[in-house]
Amino acid sequence: MKKNLIYTFAMAVALMATSCNENTATDAEATTGNDVATTAPATETTVDNPNIATTEQTAATTTAANPNAPAMTFKETVYDFGTVKQGEVVNHTFTFTNTGKEPLIIENASASCGCTVPEWPKTPVAPGKTGEIKVQFNSTGKYGQQAPMVTIRANTEPNITQVSLKGTVEASTIPTAGAEGPVKRN
């Protein structure tokens, strides 16, 4: 029993350590300006979970079982932060509008790893009103292509929507002994 618990814990740690280093976003997912994201990514993976909405499904939610259900329409679903140095913190706000006919209630927003922290409105968003999902990505300990994702659970149909950041983290430079003179040790 103890062996199984240790094995499960080791697998969870390994999963968490590698989850932010995957590059799952593509350039085709990025939107620019104030356009509403209504097209699907160029390469779309099959999702086995029927509760997770693709961008195409999100656009068609008003014709779902409840035509009055709240709907989240984002100005952008992917934010490209470009290239940052290791240790920098990236902040971005995803703005959405409740395009449904009932108040939108966000139950939870969770990130794909501990390097990303989302904040969401805790009060209902009335039909026609806007809300914000603030996301903070800490690049400490990260290197290379990054694509952290935020999963939002709300009273929409389907009830899960995703937004993400993408970009590259470069190694920070470490001063050498020659640049500032010899290192003295006592």
Side-chain angles (χ1 to χ4, degrees), residues 2 34 50-51 55 65 67 173 177 179:
K2 188 175 182 181
N34 291 333
N51 290 326
T55 310
T173 57

Side-chain angles (χ1 to χ4, degrees), residues 113-134:
C113 69
C115 60
T116 306
V117 179
E119 287 182 34
W120 65 94
K122 306 298 190 259
T123 58
V125 178
K129 299 296 180 184
T130 61
E132 297 178 337
I133 307 288
K134 296 178 182 178

Side-chain angles (χ1 to χ4, degrees), residues 57-147:
Q57 291 168 333
T58 303
T61 55
T62 55
T63 60
N66 180 1
N68 296 325
M72 296 177 84
T73 303
F74 284 87
K75 288 186 177 184
E76 62 181 347
T77 57
V78 177
Y79 173 69
D80 186 346
F81 60 82
T83 302
V84 297
K85 293 284 185 193
Q86 204 171 43
E88 288 184 36
V89 175
V90 175
N91 290 296
H92 183 69
T93 301
F94 290 95
T95 303
F96 66 89
T97 302
N98 178 0
T99 56
K101 296 180 181 176
E102 294 177 359
L104 171 69
I105 300 168
I106 298 177
E107 191 178 307
N108 189 22
S110 59
S112 58
C113 69
C115 60
T116 306
V117 179
E119 287 182 34
W120 65 94
K122 306 298 190 259
T123 58
V125 178
K129 299 296 180 184
T130 61
E132 297 178 337
I133 307 288
K134 296 178 182 178
V135 179
Q136 183 179 70
F137 167 69
N138 185 344
S139 67
T140 301
K142 303 297 176 194
Y143 181 75
Q145 295 278 330
Q146 301 295 313

